[in-house]
Every structure is written in C-alpha cells, then in structure tokens.
Amino acid sequence: MINKYVFSGHESFPCKTLWLKKGYDFVVQGKNFNSPDAVIDLGVGKNMVASIRYWLRVFGICEGDQPTWLGNYIFNEIDGKDKYMEDLATLWLLHFNLAFNGEATLYNMFFCGFQQAYPQFEREQVLSYVKLKMAEAGKNNLFNENTVKKDIGVLLLNYVLPRKPQSNEDFSSLLIDLDLIRQNTERNGYFFNGEGKREVTKGIFLYGLLRLKEQSGDSSIPYETIQERVGSIFCMNDGETIDMLKRLANDYPNEIAYSDVAGIRQIQFTKAMDHIDVLDHYYEKV
C-alpha cells in the first residue's frame, strides 16, 4: 500500500552508474549536501547534487543523509560486497529496493500495477494510470500533471536503452543493463521486456521474498501476493515465478515449503531466515 506520493526530487536526472558510490563516499566522509563545496566534492552541477541525494534515499542507500545497512553492505570501501556494481545481482537488488520501498511512488505503481494492465504502453497511459490511482485513493489534490510527466520521463531514462544515442553518456543510467523496458520500434511507445530481460538472480529473488515476509509479518504468503509484490517487480510471468518458488523450496527444504493444493498456491516459511544472511550466502559464493 502506498502511504505517500512523491514524484519529484531527482531534478529530472536519471541515476547515473557511479552516483550511488560517489554519494555514499561523500556521506561517509561527513560532508554536507547543502554546503557550497558539495558541487566541487561531487564534481557535478548544483542540481545534480540534489539528484544524487534523492537517489541515495529512494534506493535505500542513505536515510537522513546517513548510510543505511544496505549502503554499507554494498559500498563500504573495506568490506563492501560490490562497491563498483560489477555484479548484475547488485543491480537487481537496487532495482527491487527502488520499486518495493515506495519512496519513489511511480516505480512501485509502474511495476506492481501498471505493468499488468499495459504490457505495451505509451507515456500518456502511464500518466492516466497514476491520475486514476491517486483519484481512487482520494489524493486528487496531490496530482500535478507536469511533475508526474517529468517523473515518467526520468523512469524511462533509467531503464530504456536510447534509440539514437548521442554519446556514451546516454548509456550511463544505472539500470539500463537489466533490459526491463524497451522502445517499440514500430510506433512511439514502449513495452515491458518480460521475455528477453536479463536473468533474475535467485538469491535476490529470495531477498525480495523475505522482505515481503517481514513486511507482512506472516510465515505463509499466498502466491498472488508474491507475484504482485515481488514477481512483478522483476517482470516475471506466472510460470517464471512459480518455477523460482519451486527451486527455492528445493534449495531450502528445511526453511521453505511450496504448496499447490486445489489451485491454492502459497509459500510457507517453516524456519526463520534473515535477508542479510541470504545476501551473504550469494556474495560469498560469487
């Protein structure tokens, strides 16, 4: 459930590949985003300073301009698991956090609702969907068309490979390598690349499943909830999600049970699991 609606803060800049590490180091060094020196320290323009600060927050790398456990886990200079984001799994992890946490409202709406209704789409359809969902929630007064339009444009820059790139900078958006959204070459639109996306890392899917369990507080989770809140974020269809759940139940027979009885499918956690331990297991193997 969306508790707040935020469609601004990025200053119309997508998140560039090196920004999260650069911003994390800036914060760890005790520097201040509001300082005039921030422009020099980060090596970007004033609006980009604000954008880096925004992306650190919505990806869950910082909170209140202090590193979170995830920020330290990935980017710590001494023992960070993937501080230069060379592993595709780290991009899946960041993508999941962005869409699941709900700090950037559009990303949750886009992957966990809009995708199911519009596998192929145009920008105006995204705008209409957001307006409708906010009206249904009684938040009409918070809807600003120009702000949401800019947010849609930035989301697409984050994920879509440019059709006519002008420079290497056009390829520098952090999440492009996931190949989740493509432009439709036949008309001026886009589509969710469910069939051709990069393979979802099993450990990151399990991390997402555990985040859902912790949020719900239940040891049993219906399949429909898993698909809506986790599978859809990774642009997985029913077959892919069910296969993933069966694989996880096979890999963790003492902790996870998958059942399909009379058409009622669910996952049950039979033993406590911690999402950080799951990430440790993945990165230690790598």
Side-chain angles (χ1 to χ4, degrees):
M1 179 179 291
I2 296 173
N3 297 317
K4 59 181 179 178
Y5 294 84
V6 179
F7 299 96
S8 62
H10 43 63
E11 303 293 331
S12 296
F13 294 106
C15 186
K16 302 299 183 182
T17 301
L18 300 177
W19 278 9
L20 295 184
K21 171 61 174 167
K22 184 179 290 189
Y24 169 84
D25 290 344
F26 178 86
V27 167
V28 167
Q29 291 162 12
K31 296 181 179 179
N32 190 334
F33 285 105
N34 295 318
S35 167
D37 293 335
V39 170
I40 298 170
D41 291 334
L42 288 168
V44 297
K46 184 177 180 181
N47 288 352
M48 287 187 180
V49 170
S51 185
I52 291 173
R53 189 183 195 182
Y54 167 85
W55 290 117
L56 288 171
R57 178 173 61 82
V58 300
F59 275 110
I61 303 305
C62 290
E63 184 176 347
D65 290 343
Q66 293 298 315
T68 61
W69 74 267
L70 182 64
N72 290 325
Y73 189 86
I74 298 174
F75 295 115
N76 183 272
E77 194 60 38
I78 297 172
D79 57 2
K81 300 297 184 183
D82 189 18
K83 53 184 179 283
Y84 300 114
M85 293 179 290
E86 298 168 300
D87 190 330
L88 190 69
T90 304
L91 296 187
W92 280 122
L93 174 60
L94 291 168
H95 161 71
F96 176 83
N97 264 21
L98 177 63
F100 185 82
N101 289 347
E103 290 289 330
T105 308
L106 180 63
Y107 293 76
N108 183 270
M109 283 188 172
F110 186 72
F111 286 100
C112 296
F114 178 78
Q115 177 185 182
Q116 287 69 44
Y118 300 95
Q120 298 189 51
F121 63 93
E122 296 180 8
R123 293 184 185 219
E124 287 299 319
Q125 290 173 306
V126 185
L127 183 68
S128 298
Y129 181 86
V130 172
K131 185 175 183 179
L132 173 63
K133 290 301 173 183
M134 293 184 70
E136 290 176 350
K139 302 293 184 181
N140 309 59
N141 59 316
L142 298 179
F143 179 80
N144 182 293
E145 183 170 313
N146 287 332
T147 301
V148 176
K149 275 185 177 179
K150 289 178 182 177
D151 205 18
I152 293 167
V154 171
L155 181 150
L156 293 172
L157 288 173
N158 271 322
Y159 289 97
V160 181
L161 194 67
R163 186 178 293 174
K164 296 180 180 179
Q166 303 298 313
S167 68
N168 288 337
E169 184 70 15
D170 291 336
F171 296 100
S172 65
S173 293
L174 179 63
L175 301 173
I176 280 180
D177 281 349
L178 296 179
D179 201 12
L180 288 178
I181 306 165
R182 290 184 179 179
Q183 293 194 56
N184 193 322
T185 56
E186 297 177 2
R187 56 194 178 94
N188 188 26
Y190 304 85
F191 64 94
F192 289 92
N193 184 31
E195 299 299 321
K197 64 180 181 297
R198 305 291 292 274
E199 185 176 355
V200 178
T201 309
K202 185 168 54 175
I204 303 304
F205 185 95
L206 178 55
Y207 163 88
L209 198 57
L210 288 169
R211 287 288 310 278
L212 178 61
K213 173 185 176 291
E214 290 158 11
Q215 190 181 76
S216 68
D218 295 326
S219 58
S220 296
I221 310 175
Y223 166 75
E224 290 75 17
T225 302
I226 294 170
Q227 178 62 353
E228 178 186 345
R229 302 289 310 284
V230 180
S232 62
I233 288 177
F234 296 121
C235 293
M236 296 167 69
N237 60 36
D238 284 330
E240 289 176 305
T241 302
I242 291 170
D243 180 63
M244 180 69 81
L245 295 176
K246 289 179 178 178
R247 288 166 60 195
L248 289 172
N250 184 66
D251 289 350
Y252 298 89
N254 297 320
E255 293 89 358
I256 300 173
Y258 171 78
S259 63
D260 183 350
V261 180
I264 300 175
R265 296 170 294 194
Q266 67 175 7
I267 276 285
Q268 183 174 11
F269 287 91
T270 54
K271 188 176 178 181
M273 298 183 76
D274 181 78
H275 62 258
I276 299 178
D277 289 342
V278 166
L279 292 181
D280 283 343
H281 180 68
Y282 170 76
Y283 282 106
E284 284 166 7
K285 283 200 308 181
V286 174

